[in-house]
Amino acid sequence: MMADDTGGHDENALIAERRAKLARLRAAGPAYPNDFRRDALAADLHATCAARDDAALAAAGIRVRVAGRMLFKRVMGKASFAKLQDSSGQIQLYLQAETLGAAYDEFKGWDVGDIVGAAGTLMRTRAGELSVRADTLRLLVKSLRPLPDKWHGLADTELRYRQRYVDLIVNPATRATFQTRTRIVRLLRDYLDALDFLEVETPMMQPIPGGAVARPFVTHHRALDREMYLRIAPELYLKRLLVGGFERVYELNRNFRNEGLSTQHNPEFTMLELYQAYADCEDFMNLVERLLQALADALAGGREVRYQGRVFDFSGPFRRLAVAEAICAANPELDPAGLRDREYLRAACARLGIPLQPQDGAGKLQIELFENTCEPALEQPTFVHSYPAEVSPLARRRDSDPFVTDRFEFFVGGRELANGFSELNDPEDQAGRFREQAARKQAGDAEAMFYDADYVRALEYGMPPAAGLGIGVDRLVMLFTDAPSIRDVLLFPHLRPET
């Protein structure tokens, strides 16, 4: 029998047939037993027995108990083969009628997709494949739905996201992606723990959403009879901890933004945010560079990272340029002297077809130009710094030029991966910028920040000079797993309702 059993049959008929088999199992006794215990995983068996031929295995007489989902079966009279997949890989079973008796006859009626347990001794087939010569065989779970015979192509992409559990069963590359994701998260934690950062947890539901310019999700707390918001960022709570005396903190957790879906955006996503007292944005640019190099070394085996047919060089030092420099480089027709003139910038945006809002100042117009004409061309690792204060309401103004802040964003492949800055710790300046944001919100900007009086009060107690950084973990995983869409690195991405 082939690895799939759907050939030509209607799926509903196959499901009905399997339900009939389940009914017979129920009539005979417990249909979903939970008393089989395995003692070996496929990958471990392959690793420990790699150097042993069949004679060596026969002499050793190694007994094992394995279990997993049956992905393949081939019945050949009095001897058959099956292949089980567990969390580590696959192992073959060699089954003989004279050894298994009634269990062998039962096996003939089992289906690909069933979960099976087997015990026996290790051997090698004539083809040299490591196998378990089973003397015990049990059906542990009856699968009622047939596995797909084909799971490839654009037509099935959304189905893979919706039915991730099936994708994980049949697609080894998907399992590898999420194993790498777990490894990346562990590497991030290990890196920061080694630098004496303290991992903390801050509220997911907040009375005032802050820390980013984004539209929040709103809910209602009945006991308090007040609106609450799923957090768009943990920033303001983490900086309260700097006020309290924790000088190096980080949080690696979910943020929620009530925005659109795309290959780069999901309303629920994972961020790493960290804050360090007595540091500035230059220190954090250096930290990002070292961190990305460490990840490349660990995950790619060197400083070259391949992504979607391109090669990114992380050997460093990474390119660094100011926002204004990037705009002029991408738009040589613009006069650098006009980049702080609101009317000049409005005219430039209009010529390029960039939509504007009446309240946009020179700083916001600069960023509109940058995002529309510069970002996609930032292929190799690049720090863009000196962001206008108008679009950086939590960043420290530059002493020598208050129009800009000591803020940077880090780009690879035309995508932003990180955002960091020297933190604004002047409570009066912060209060003024909150008022500006509140005015934008009142004028119709749904993404503008709220005024957070308690955060201003915290700053009035005194926050040490500090730097902060946010890294998009999902996009980082996309980079190191060569994934074209954020949905490929989220186990259960948000999707439009099924029709």
Side-chain angles (χ1 to χ4, degrees):
M1 178 176 279
M2 298 298 292
D4 68 89
D5 57 2
T6 59
H9 288 77
D10 178 77
E11 185 176 20
N12 290 332
L14 288 172
I15 293 172
E17 182 181 315
R18 292 187 178 207
R19 288 190 183 277
K21 292 179 181 180
L22 176 60
R24 292 194 291 272
L25 287 170
R26 291 190 191 278
Y32 290 88
N34 190 15
D35 58 350
F36 184 89
R37 298 293 177 265
R38 71 181 177 196
D39 59 17
L41 290 174
D44 295 337
L45 295 178
H46 286 292
T48 57
C49 298
R52 298 186 181 188
D53 60 14
D54 187 48
L57 289 171
I62 304 170
R63 284 195 61 80
V64 296
R65 296 171 64 82
V66 296
R69 190 179 299 275
M70 184 166 63
L71 294 187
F72 173 88
K73 61 178 288 194
R74 186 168 72 236
V75 178
M76 302 184 304
K78 295 184 179 181
S80 298
F81 292 93
K83 191 160 289 188
L84 302 188
Q85 176 172 282
D86 61 27
S87 62
S88 69
Q90 297 181 5
I91 188 72
Q92 182 169 268
L93 304 182
Y94 176 59
L95 311 172
Q96 295 174 295
E98 63 179 359
T99 303
L100 292 167
Y104 185 79
D105 293 327
E106 293 171 5
F107 161 77
K108 292 179 182 179
W110 297 351
D111 298 296
V112 168
D114 290 348
I115 297 176
V116 174
T121 56
L122 292 177
M123 58 167 282
R124 286 198 185 275
T125 64
R126 291 178 183 176
E129 183 166 358
L130 184 68
S131 304
V132 178
R133 188 193 305 271
D135 52 43
T136 301
L137 188 66
R138 293 184 62 191
L139 178 62
L140 304 179
V141 175
K142 181 70 207 163
S143 172
L144 297 181
R145 289 182 177 269
L147 295 176
D149 55 345
K150 294 180 181 179
W151 201 252
H152 304 289
L154 183 62
D156 289 327
T157 300
E158 185 164 324
L159 188 60
R160 288 177 50 230
Y161 300 148
R162 288 191 187 280
Q163 298 182 19
R164 182 67 84 190
Y165 37 88
V166 181
D167 188 23
L168 290 166
I169 292 170
V170 302
N171 192 343
T174 298
R175 293 195 302 277
T177 291
F178 290 103
Q179 289 164 343
T180 300
R181 182 186 177 108
T182 295
R183 188 180 176 201
I184 289 171
V185 169
R186 186 181 302 118
L187 288 168
L188 291 171
R189 284 194 164 104
D190 290 346
Y191 191 90
L192 293 175
D193 291 346
L195 294 176
D196 202 30
F197 279 81
L198 178 71
E199 184 173 10
V200 297
E201 294 177 322
T202 62
M204 290 285 191
M205 284 203 307
Q206 302 177 350
I208 298 175
V213 177
R215 186 193 298 262
F217 287 95
V218 187
T219 187
H220 185 79
H221 192 295
R222 291 199 303 171
L224 295 177
D225 191 24
R226 68 178 300 179
E227 282 193 338
M228 301 286 284
Y229 302 86
L230 292 180
R231 76 175 185 196
I232 56 177
E235 177 170 345
L236 299 187
Y237 284 91
L238 291 171
K239 290 196 287 194
R240 285 172 169 92
L241 298 180
L242 293 182
V243 173
F246 287 134
E247 295 183 351
R248 297 188 181 204
V249 294
Y250 76 92
E251 184 167 9
L252 205 163
N253 217 320
R254 293 299 179 94
N255 290 346
F256 307 85
R257 297 181 185 177
N258 199 350
E259 299 168 349
L261 300 167
S262 75
T263 58
Q264 296 185 54
H265 296 92
N266 193 68
E268 178 181 358
F269 61 98
T270 303
M271 283 285 291
L272 168 65
E273 289 211 18
L274 55 145
Y275 295 85
Q276 179 179 339
Y278 311 107
D280 62 17
C281 72
E282 185 76 21
D283 296 316
F284 270 22
M285 280 194 278
N286 295 334
L287 185 149
V288 169
E289 187 167 310
R290 292 192 298 267
L291 173 59
L292 266 293
Q293 289 172 341
L295 288 174
D297 290 341
L299 299 165
R303 300 288 169 89
E304 286 191 350
V305 176
R306 298 183 181 277
Y307 179 77
Q308 298 295 293
R310 294 168 285 174
V311 178
F312 302 134
D313 181 7
F314 283 89
S315 58
F318 298 168
R319 182 187 181 200
R320 302 185 183 194
L321 72 163
V323 169
E325 290 179 287
I327 292 172
C328 289
N331 303 275
E333 74 282 4
L334 293 181
D335 180 359
L339 290 188
R340 297 189 181 182
D341 184 313
R342 182 172 180 269
E343 295 309 314
Y344 180 83
L345 291 170
R346 285 185 66 85
C349 288
R351 285 196 305 272
L352 293 167
I354 298 172
L356 308 176
Q357 297 297 325
Q359 67 270 25
D360 290 345
K364 182 68 164 64
L365 295 171
Q366 272 195 17
I367 294 306
E368 291 294 338
L369 277 170
F370 172 75
E371 291 179 349
N372 283 277
T373 66
C374 305
E375 271 192 27
L378 298 174
E379 282 284 301
Q380 293 300 319
T382 303
F383 290 108
V384 178
H385 58 81
S386 304
Y387 277 72
E390 182 182 352
V391 296
S392 311
L394 300 169
R396 185 180 186 278
R397 293 181 194 269
R398 184 165 299 162
D399 292 334
S400 60
D401 183 2
F403 180 83
V404 299
T405 59
D406 290 324
R407 173 188 170 192
F408 70 86
E409 289 186 340
F410 176 67
F411 294 87
V412 178
R415 294 174 178 167
E416 176 207 343
L417 287 188
N419 177 26
F421 41 82
S422 300
E423 298 297 335
L424 174 60
N425 61 346
D426 179 338
E428 294 179 348
D429 189 355
Q430 183 65 80
R433 294 206 224 171
F434 275 155
R435 284 192 289 270
E436 292 171 4
Q437 287 288 308
R440 291 183 69 94
K441 182 172 287 294
Q442 193 167 11
D445 186 347
E447 295 186 345
M449 291 184 182
F450 290 75
Y451 189 98
D452 190 333
D454 180 71
Y455 178 67
V456 173
R457 178 169 58 193
L459 291 184
E460 289 173 346
Y461 281 95
M463 185 179 87
L469 171 67
I471 297 177
V473 174
D474 305 310
R475 292 185 182 181
L476 198 62
V477 176
M478 288 172 63
L479 173 66
F480 284 108
T481 60
D482 196 20
S485 170
I486 193 172
R487 296 179 183 181
D488 293 317
V489 300
L490 299 174
L491 280 169
F492 301 104
H494 291 281
L495 301 166
R496 300 186 188 282
E498 289 187 82
T499 57

